[in-house]
Amino acid sequence: MAQFVDWDLAAATAGALGKSGPRVSYAEATDVVGELRRLTEEAAGHVADYTGLRAQVTHPPVRVVDRRDWAAANIAGLREVITPLVHRISGDKPPGPLTEAIGSRLTGVQAGTVLAYLSGRVLGQYEVFAGDPGQLLLVAPNIVEVERKLQADPRDFRLWVCLHEVTHRTQFTAVPWMRAYFLSEVQAFVDAAQGGEHLLERLRRGVATLSDAVKDPESRASVLDIVQTPAQRAVLDRLTALMTLLEGHAEFVMDGVGPQVIPSVESIRSAFNRRREAGNPLEKAIRRLLGVEVKMRQYAEGRKFVHGVVDRVGMAGFNKIFASPLTLPRLDELGDPDSWVARVHGGPARTTPAVD
């Protein structure tokens, strides 16, 4: 049975290389965890009221984690997805002794290096791979560190983060087909590759490229090196459209709800945007190679699309986007809300209040 990644080594590497969190006492840490749990529940009510979307499936409670636990949760999720794919690609043939001795361990170190870097920067995540329907994670040390750097009101900043992450949970629990659709597109991306050992080699190269980006920001390698076939690019277009929608929707909701329940939201948003745009050349190079710059563009482009659709057909009209995979926006529609409205609603767009 082929082993693509030494997952235990990946977890150990992420734990060893991950940054330590901000200084907090045991009592402060306990208070942060308790407040994040309470604010998650508060945010869930605000998101449901604002969007009209309510969970249709039972989901586990939020997990408030540290950096090591975040990395471990992502490793567990990736292991669940990648291992069966590798088995299918390899036909369960045993790896050669060199691959077993070196290949999986090297990939494990590389994967752990990437996760160590990200574990110090992610505020929260809806972990789609962690079972059905997924798991909401909030990374307490990172939230505390950022709120201190921004000199933000702790309660306000924590609720602001919760609004964004709870919106992601709502997208996957109020739209029961969303997780299966996302995973099917990931599967389609793999299926569209030229299979066999060549695909495993490209996957290894992709992990190595991300690891190089963390260790050597002058690297000219691109994570898109693994996208080699037209069929893969077509799948990638659909995944890009989906992720831009989901990120933009979360941004739209947090900005829509924020002024009603977070007194200092304007100063938080302004300071946070400055933080996103800032960074030394080292940070910017790593963000670009890891795809973080693409994600930042998705926030802006997706938010503009959602705002445009809601302006035209209201929130209830926008929610038709979640009726089926066929009503999701195409990549070319993200810059043209009228085209999506015409395709899904029919007839010319009408202007209505932003929220029904």
Side-chain angles (χ1 to χ4, degrees):
M1 182 173 65
Q3 185 176 7
F4 174 60
V5 181
D6 185 329
W7 296 108
D8 293 336
L9 184 56
T13 301
L17 297 182
K19 297 193 307 178
S20 60
R23 285 182 172 273
V24 294
S25 68
Y26 179 80
E28 288 172 322
T30 301
D31 288 344
V32 170
V33 171
E35 184 170 46
L36 285 172
R37 288 173 176 160
R38 290 192 300 273
L39 292 175
T40 296
E41 294 305 310
E42 180 181 338
H46 295 315
V47 170
D49 291 343
Y50 187 77
T51 65
L53 299 171
R54 299 184 183 276
Q56 302 298 309
V57 296
T58 302
H59 56 76
V62 62
R63 281 187 62 197
V64 182
V65 298
D66 61 18
R67 292 165 175 174
R68 183 186 293 266
D69 287 340
W70 177 87
N74 276 266
I75 287 171
L78 289 171
R79 187 173 195 166
E80 288 298 313
V81 173
I82 291 178
T83 300
L85 293 179
V86 171
H87 291 177
R88 183 176 60 79
I89 293 167
S90 67
D92 282 335
K93 294 178 182 178
L98 185 62
T99 299
E100 181 66 22
I102 299 176
S104 64
R105 290 180 175 83
L106 178 60
T107 310
V109 170
Q110 292 167 339
T113 300
V114 174
L115 288 168
Y117 173 81
L118 293 175
S119 70
R121 285 151 179 81
V122 174
L123 301 181
Q125 173 189 6
Y126 191 70
E127 219 295 83
V128 180
F129 297 135
D132 192 1
Q135 173 77 66
L136 177 58
L137 307 174
L138 294 175
V139 189
N142 296 347
I143 292 172
V144 171
E145 185 171 72
V146 173
E147 72 190 27
R148 288 179 178 178
K149 287 181 177 178
L150 299 183
Q151 298 182 326
D153 177 85
R155 179 264 177 194
D156 284 5
F157 183 75
R158 294 167 193 176
L159 178 56
W160 193 67
V161 171
C162 288
L163 287 171
H164 186 277
E165 302 307 332
V166 166
T167 300
H168 283 318
R169 184 176 69 183
T170 300
Q171 292 160 347
F172 283 90
T173 58
V175 187
W177 54 262
M178 184 65 75
R179 179 175 183 270
Y181 172 75
F182 173 76
L183 294 180
S184 72
E185 290 289 33
V186 173
Q187 178 72 60
F189 183 84
V190 174
D191 290 342
Q194 297 167 352
E197 294 180 2
H198 296 297
L199 174 56
L200 288 178
E201 229 6 84
R202 287 202 298 277
L203 289 173
R204 286 190 189 279
R205 258 200 334 269
V207 175
T209 296
L210 292 177
S211 179
D212 289 344
V214 172
K215 294 181 292 186
D216 178 15
E218 299 301 318
S219 170
R220 292 292 180 263
S222 168
V223 294
L224 295 181
D225 287 344
I226 64 171
V227 182
Q228 295 188 350
T229 71
Q232 280 185 303
R233 293 190 183 94
V235 177
L236 189 62
D237 282 350
R238 295 196 298 272
L239 280 169
T240 299
L242 175 64
M243 298 311 297
T244 301
L245 167 69
L246 298 182
E247 294 294 355
H249 183 230
E251 292 277 297
F252 178 81
V253 172
M254 73 192 300
D255 283 348
V257 174
Q260 305 170 34
V261 298
I262 302 174
S264 61
V265 68
E266 286 190 16
S267 62
I268 288 174
R269 167 57 83 182
S270 176
F272 195 77
N273 284 347
R274 288 196 300 272
R275 179 179 178 271
R276 274 182 178 171
E277 294 164 2
N280 58 43
L282 172 66
E283 281 286 315
K284 289 181 178 179
I286 292 174
R287 288 193 322 220
R288 174 176 53 79
L289 291 170
L290 285 176
V292 176
E293 295 290 351
V294 173
K295 193 177 184 71
M296 290 165 66
R297 289 197 298 273
Q298 286 177 340
Y299 289 144
E301 294 170 4
R303 181 170 63 242
K304 185 176 180 181
F305 169 80
V306 174
H307 193 281
V309 171
V310 173
D311 273 352
R312 289 160 174 77
V313 296
M315 188 66 79
F318 168 81
N319 284 344
K320 288 190 176 181
I321 215 162
F322 299 122
S324 80
L326 296 177
T327 56
L328 291 172
R330 299 163 183 162
L331 193 59
D332 61 338
E333 291 174 333
L334 290 172
D336 184 8
D338 284 323
S339 65
W340 179 87
V341 171
R343 177 170 67 86
V344 174
H345 287 268
R350 59 183 178 83
T351 301
T352 66
V355 180
D356 287 351

